[in-house]
């Protein structure tokens, strides 16, 4: 019960890593505000320990309202987990401007907006932020110009804020998963005319080579806890040895 008496806000809590994280934190005693563009999925499974909020993380006003509602509901805020995200894989010459903009807005601007609104409350509670980046954000990745740029930016944002807010007592860390069994992964369309050699690039070395969302959630729960005091600025790869 490492989160007893603490309050977490999780974006993308309706599925995948976000859902697994919300369930893990609640199981560890937290009250969890579950933000998702499709509300109601997580709260039904957590009962009174959860607040379901319909939020588009790229909507500045909606994010501000969601943070205010969370603090009004629970009285404080101790942890933010930015797990909402979208994927995009294509030949770079096929990436349209609107798609580039969509990926950057959800994967990078969204975490920035949520974190910015939460920071006054996290300073008060000496809390933490854990961002969900990707292996694609720390090494070269095939057919992922927009996605890699967004996740690499999220890694840099995490490190920058870790430095800026260290003296204020707010910790920042991020996890960089490789392949994870989520609806996001299952919905990825094959890239036409892909180079077979590139498709084997970055495969996990463990068996099975795809992680369960719960494995990533366990790492998030640690990084967001008081036990990870000395891990501020940490970038934890959860890639099954793919980036080794």
């Amino acid at each position: 019960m490492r989160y007893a008496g603490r309050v977490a806000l999780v974006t993308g809590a309706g599925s995948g890593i976000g859902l697994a994280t919300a369930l893990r934190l609640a199981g560890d005693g937290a009250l969890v505000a579950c933000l998702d563009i499709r509300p109601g999925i997580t709260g039904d499974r957590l009962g009174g320990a959860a607040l379901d909020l319909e939020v588009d993380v790229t909507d500045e006003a909606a994010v501000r309202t969601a943070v205010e509602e969370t603090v009004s509901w629970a009285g404080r805020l101790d942890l933010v987990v930015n797990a909402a995200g979208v994927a995009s894989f294509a030949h770079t010459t096929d990436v349209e401007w609107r798609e580039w903009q969509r990926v950057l807005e959800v994967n990078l601007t969204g975490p920035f907006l949520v974190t910015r609104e939460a920071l006054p409350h996290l300073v008060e509670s000496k809390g933490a932020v854990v961002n969900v980046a990707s292996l694609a954000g720390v090494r070269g990745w095939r057919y992922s110009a927009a996605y890699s740029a967004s996740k690499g930016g999220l890694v840099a944002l995490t490190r920058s804020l870790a430095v800026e807010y260290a003296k204020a007592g707010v910790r920042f860390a991020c996890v960089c998963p490789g392949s994870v069994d989520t609806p996001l992964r299952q919905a990825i369309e094959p890239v036409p005319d892909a180079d077979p050699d590139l498709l084997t690039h970055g495969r996990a070395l463990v068996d099975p080579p795809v992680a369960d969302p719960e494995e990533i959630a366990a790492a998030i729960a640690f990084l967001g806890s008081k036990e990870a005091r000395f891990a501020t600025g940490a970038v934890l790869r959860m890639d099954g040895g793919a980036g080794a």
Side-chain angles (χ1 to χ4, degrees), residues 28-241:
D28 283 350
L31 294 176
V32 186
C34 302
L35 279 59
D36 200 274
I37 203 163
R38 297 165 301 168
I41 299 172
T42 311
D44 290 344
R45 299 175 65 171
L46 299 182
L51 174 68
D52 264 318
L53 296 172
E54 181 178 1
V55 179
D56 178 348
V57 295
T58 70
D59 184 330
E60 184 177 17
V63 166
R64 181 176 297 117
T65 298
V67 172
E68 291 172 350
E69 289 185 20
T70 298
V71 175
S72 176
W73 169 65
R76 59 183 293 140
L77 182 58
D78 300 276
L79 172 64
V80 168
V81 178
N82 286 304
V86 293
S88 179
F89 298 96
H91 294 279
T92 299
T93 52
D94 294 333
V95 179
E96 296 182 357
W97 163 244
R98 288 184 179 179
E99 176 65 2
W100 171 272
Q101 193 172 36
R102 179 184 77 94
V103 174
L104 269 290
E105 285 182 350
V106 175
N107 292 355
L108 183 54
T109 302
F112 165 75
L113 292 175
V114 174
T115 300
R116 187 189 66 183
E117 296 304 318
L119 267 169
H121 307 287
L122 296 174
V123 169
E124 184 176 347
S125 66
K126 307 298 183 186
V129 176
V130 181
N131 293 317
V132 180
S134 169
L135 178 59
V138 293
R139 65 167 298 177
W141 203 252
R142 57 194 180 266
Y143 309 118
S144 64
Y147 184 73
S148 292
S150 69
K151 294 300 188 178
L154 188 55
V155 170
L157 178 65
T158 301
R159 287 172 163 159
S160 178
L161 294 177
V163 172
E164 183 176 348
Y165 283 90
K167 287 187 177 180
V170 182
R171 295 174 292 103
F172 290 82
C174 70
V175 293
C176 294
S179 186
V180 185
D181 187 16
T182 66
L184 187 69
R185 174 180 179 271
Q186 295 161 10
I188 294 173
E189 300 270 340
V191 176
D193 301 318
D195 184 330
D197 291 335
L198 293 183
L199 295 180
T200 62
H201 176 71
R203 282 188 176 173
L205 305 177
V206 297
D207 186 28
V210 179
D212 291 324
E214 290 75 16
E215 294 178 275
I216 312 303
I220 293 171
F222 165 69
L223 288 172
S225 73
K226 299 291 187 182
E227 297 167 274
R229 179 187 71 87
F230 222 60
T232 192
V235 179
L236 176 61
R237 294 200 315 208
M238 299 283 290
D239 58 17

Side-chain angles (χ1 to χ4, degrees), residues 1-20:
M1 299 296 286
R2 57 160 62 125
Y3 283 94
R6 300 181 67 195
V7 179
L9 181 155
V10 180
T11 72
S15 65
I17 294 171
L19 173 58

